[in-house]
Amino acid sequence: MQSLENPWRGVGLPKDVLGEAPWPSTHAAAPEALLRQCPAAAETPLVEVEGFGAPLWIKDERGRMGLGSFKALGAAYVIAHEAAATGKAPMAQALAGRTYVTASAGNHGLSVAAGAHVFGARAVVYLARTVPEGFADRLRAKGAEVVRAGEDYEASMDAAAQAAQDHGWTLLSDSSWPGYFDLPHRLMEGYLAMAAETVRHMPQAPTHIFLQAGVGGLAGACAALFREAWGQGPCIVVVEPEAAPALTASIEAGRPVTTQGPVSCMGRLDCKAPSLIALKGLARDADLFVTISDAEAEAVLPDLAGRGLATTSSGAAGVAAMRLMGLEADARALCILSEEAET
């Protein structure tokens, strides 16, 4: 594990670096209000786990809305928000004729597919050639059309963006870049429901929070709300694969950086460029950026499975970093188990 202290902590990157990128939202009431209208919605558990050194609480997102990950709170929330704004009835056809297109390295595509299906829209999901076919089958089962394009997530996103431009479709990415902020900002706002639940159920404020990151949406959203709720006390640690240290490299450079590296087993975190909204928030809110190897991420999986918390190396990355850091016994750690185990 390698670590970098955040030199921008508390102030963020210089104003001219990220252009018009907004700060992450902390308006958790908006997604929670929509969730209350969804029959599939329910709070996920916060579990106290022994055997990892310091006391550890894990927010278990594996059962979120039957989609297997926290991503259920993102794209589907954006689509539900747009359906409600039409004022049309019945809601099941509120977005008939609309096509949402995206690229996905994992669970984001399922959220797009599920949201589109509920409100009568079409979903097209671009996958890199490295994404397993089993995931493509899960997308098709949710009604999405799957298109293979490129060798990595960034290439598949370029293809999705081109398709949106060519066909007049709505691009719904979980990342953000210059000129593309509104939808990913709302998407990150959806993740606040998870963070707000965590704040309500933690017995006391944690001393350390470990947030795994791909483009950074989960980490950026949660860090912003946790700072609002718990102030400057907790040490917030952002965890990335050493093969995809986009946020770490950007913080070190003081500007957005696109990285290069091999394919990581942490597939949902294997993103080589950061979301600008997430980067803006984390430059202000995170204390430490760490990178872990595939072997370090995989090493924690048997221990979690033995405690009934089976997940993937992406889902366990925060827990892996927590154990590697070796916290004192009087610390209180918080991690997010972000997805279910692959079958």
Side-chain angles (χ1 to χ4, degrees):
M1 181 175 72
Q2 301 294 319
S3 64
L4 172 72
E5 290 190 13
N6 180 12
W8 309 104
R9 172 73 177 89
V11 294
L13 292 170
K15 290 183 179 179
D16 60 345
V17 169
L18 297 176
E20 300 300 316
W23 293 104
S25 173
T26 57
H27 186 41
E32 291 200 300
L34 268 182
L35 280 174
R36 284 193 290 271
Q37 302 175 37
C38 176
E43 293 193 4
T44 56
L46 182 70
V47 183
E48 186 174 2
V49 182
E50 297 180 349
F52 286 86
L56 169 63
W57 282 264
I58 291 179
K59 180 64 167 166
D60 183 1
E61 287 294 298
R62 297 175 300 164
R64 179 67 74 176
M65 298 174 70
L67 292 182
S69 87
F70 77 99
K71 292 281 188 178
L73 295 169
Y77 166 62
V78 173
I79 295 172
H81 189 279
E82 296 203 329
T86 68
K88 294 180 180 179
M91 287 294 284
Q93 293 298 314
L95 296 174
R98 288 279 295 276
T99 296
Y100 289 92
V101 61
T102 194
S104 181
N107 300 300
H108 169 67
L110 287 173
S111 190
V112 173
H117 177 75
V118 167
F119 298 106
R122 177 186 176 210
V124 181
V125 182
Y126 279 71
L127 301 181
R129 295 187 180 92
T130 52
V131 177
E133 186 61 20
F135 178 70
D137 290 339
R138 291 180 66 192
L139 285 167
R140 294 185 187 104
K142 293 291 183 184
E145 177 185 338
V146 175
V147 181
R148 292 283 185 175
E151 298 300 324
D152 56 24
Y153 171 79
E154 285 69 30
S156 63
M157 179 53 71
D158 288 343
Q162 187 63 51
Q165 182 176 327
D166 292 345
H167 302 294
W169 296 343
T170 300
L171 180 66
L172 181 46
S173 174
D174 58 354
S175 189
S176 60
W177 51 82
Y180 183 73
F181 295 124
D182 290 349
L183 293 185
H185 187 261
R186 181 164 293 129
L187 184 145
M188 286 177 61
E189 185 176 77
Y191 299 157
L192 297 177
M194 168 181 58
E197 292 171 11
T198 304
V199 170
R200 284 196 293 270
H201 295 297
M202 276 292 290
Q204 61 185 124
T207 61
H208 295 75
I209 302 170
F210 295 82
L211 300 170
Q212 57 266 49
V215 297
L218 176 152
C222 289
L225 190 71
F226 291 156
R227 284 287 176 227
E228 183 175 89
W230 291 320
Q232 306 308 310
C235 175
I236 296 181
V237 183
V238 177
V239 184
E240 296 182 285
E242 64 180 16
L247 290 160
T248 302
S250 298
I251 290 296
E252 187 170 27
R255 57 179 174 79
V257 170
T258 298
T259 59
Q260 303 292 326
V263 174
S264 171
C265 74
M266 289 170 271
R268 259 63 74 195
L269 308 182
D270 192 6
C271 304
K272 311 301 187 188
S275 168
L276 297 191
I277 300 172
L279 176 60
K280 182 169 183 173
L282 290 170
R284 176 193 64 188
D285 295 329
D287 296 283
L288 196 66
F289 290 79
V290 305
T291 57
I292 61 175
S293 69
D294 284 4
E296 288 169 334
E298 290 179 320
V300 78
L301 297 181
D303 287 344
L304 285 170
R307 292 167 171 80
L309 296 168
T311 186
T312 66
S313 51
S314 298
V319 181
M322 177 264 177
R323 187 166 71 174
L324 288 165
M325 191 169 288
L327 301 180
E328 298 294 331
D330 60 351
R332 298 180 301 278
L334 170 64
C335 296
I336 295 172
L337 204 69
S338 57
E339 66 176 5
E340 64 187 359
E342 295 172 344
T343 57

